[in-house]
Amino acid sequence: MDVTLVATSVAVMGFMIAIGFFFAMKVPITAEVKNAFILIVLNIAVPAIILDGIFTTDVTDELLTDALLIFAISVVFHLAALLISWTAVKLLGFDSLFAKKMAVLAALGNAGFIGIPLSAVIFGPVGGLLAAVFNAGLDLVIFTVVIYMLQSGSGLPVRKVAKSLANMPLIAVIAGFIVALTGFTPPEFLSQLTGHLAGLAAPLSMVYIGILLHHLFLKSGLALYRLIWLPVGLRLIIFPVLIMLVLSFTPLNDSLKHLVIILAAMPTFTLSAIIFGRYLPDGSEDTAVITIAVSTLLSLATIPFIAFLSSVF
């Protein structure tokens, strides 16, 4: 594990958050501005990341097999993590909405902004692609199960919920796999377009979090909520160790095992603040922002620790 790379990634993320914080100090942030960030990130930038990962890699039969396996592992892992997290919070006696928020923050990691470049350095270009596939499995869970879970119980009709699941990130996941399976070569124009648009996701997401941090600082002074140890502990330590134990009993080769373990150790996923802002009551995004900030800072120490455990396990 390259600790310098992790530190650099966190530093870049922190600097972009600071830009958003400074921006909010100088410009009045209206509901329309926040909605614009949400729409651009969810409907343009995130789908572009998914398609760009497919377009820029030569997918062989062996690599495609590994990619489908990683995709399946990602889906199963994140569904299991959601169930474990939700059950743990419910057993502690908290209400359904709080349990949903804690489950999402604990189960889903930042496999995109930190996980993909980190994997590319450690495991090479193939590792970067497989990390993108792992992230696609995460996206599939987010934009189907998670969105449905967050909306359920809010009085929305089934037809409206089903319509919300037909979103651009999910469409991009499906289209990307069709491209890989058919061997379609996109035109240079489309490759460049998705590459440039993919670059919007991380900075816009971080700037948006900086804006929310400014709002939260003015409102509450960034006070930590009482149970922050639960999602952070599950996300950074418990789930990586659990998947390490499970994979030790499988015939998966060591490089794929290490890749999955590293990706499972990522901090809370950045889009949680945007998704909470879109689908939950006012103020829910504050919980996401605090959890993202704390888990990202702590991950600088926990990711190398998990990598060390993985190397000696």
Side-chain angles (χ1 to χ4, degrees):
M1 171 68 65
D2 187 343
V3 178
T4 301
L5 175 63
V6 177
T8 301
S9 298
V10 173
V12 170
M13 180 182 298
F15 188 77
M16 288 190 289
I17 291 174
I19 291 175
F21 192 94
F22 178 78
F23 177 73
M25 292 174 60
K26 299 297 182 180
V27 179
I29 303 299
T30 64
E32 288 75 16
V33 172
K34 293 172 66 175
N35 287 335
F37 273 92
I38 292 173
L39 289 173
I40 293 172
V41 171
L42 291 184
N43 294 328
I44 299 176
V46 170
I49 286 180
I50 298 168
L51 294 176
D52 184 58
I54 297 294
F55 292 165
T56 56
T57 305
D58 182 19
V59 182
T60 63
D61 290 341
E62 181 181 358
L63 183 58
L64 183 58
T65 300
D66 287 343
L68 293 174
L69 183 59
I70 290 294
F71 182 82
I73 291 173
S74 176
V75 171
V76 172
F77 166 70
H78 290 111
L79 290 176
L82 280 170
L83 179 60
I84 293 170
S85 304
W86 184 84
T87 302
V89 181
K90 289 294 289 182
L91 288 176
L92 291 174
F94 290 93
D95 64 72
S96 180
L97 177 59
F98 186 79
K100 291 175 183 178
K101 291 193 292 185
M102 292 299 99
V104 171
L105 295 174
L108 310 179
N110 195 348
F113 180 66
I114 297 177
I116 293 175
L118 191 62
S119 298
V121 171
I122 298 174
F123 303 101
V126 172
L129 172 63
L130 293 179
V133 172
F134 185 91
N135 191 60
L138 170 60
D139 289 337
L140 180 62
V141 173
I142 290 172
F143 293 104
T144 54
V145 176
V146 170
I147 289 179
Y148 180 81
M149 179 178 72
L150 293 179
Q151 291 187 95
S152 63
S154 61
L156 292 173
V158 175
R159 181 178 298 180
K160 187 172 182 179
V161 173
K163 183 179 179 180
S164 73
L165 300 182
N167 52 69
M168 289 303 297
L170 178 58
I171 293 171
V173 170
I174 297 172
F177 272 98
I178 292 175
V179 167
L181 290 170
T182 60
F184 170 74
T185 301
E188 182 63 23
F189 169 80
L190 187 57
S191 295
Q192 289 194 28
L193 179 63
T194 55
H196 289 306
L197 292 177
L200 294 175
L204 287 183
S205 296
M206 294 302 110
V207 168
Y208 181 75
I209 290 174
I211 292 172
L212 296 182
L213 276 173
H214 179 263
H215 171 73
L216 184 59
F217 179 77
L218 293 178
K219 185 170 68 174
S220 63
L222 291 180
L224 300 180
Y225 59 94
R226 184 164 59 90
L227 275 186
I228 191 171
W229 59 268
L230 180 60
V232 171
L234 287 171
R235 170 96 300 275
L236 298 180
I237 301 295
I238 302 301
F239 288 140
V241 171
L242 284 178
I243 199 168
M244 190 185 308
L245 293 173
V246 171
L247 292 179
S248 67
F249 295 101
T250 68
L252 206 64
N253 66 65
D254 287 343
S255 62
L256 291 182
K257 286 181 181 179
H258 293 159
L259 174 66
V260 172
I261 292 167
I262 291 299
L263 291 170
M266 294 297 107
T268 299
F269 78 122
T270 306
L271 289 179
S272 60
I274 293 177
I275 291 174
F276 279 18
R278 172 64 178 84
Y279 294 106
L280 291 179
D282 291 342
S284 293
E285 59 192 17
D286 295 350
T287 303
V289 171
I290 293 172
T291 308
I292 292 166
V294 172
S295 65
T296 299
L297 292 175
L298 292 179
S299 70
L300 182 60
T302 59
I303 291 174
F305 173 69
I306 293 298
F308 171 75
L309 289 182
S310 176
S311 65
V312 300
F313 205 81

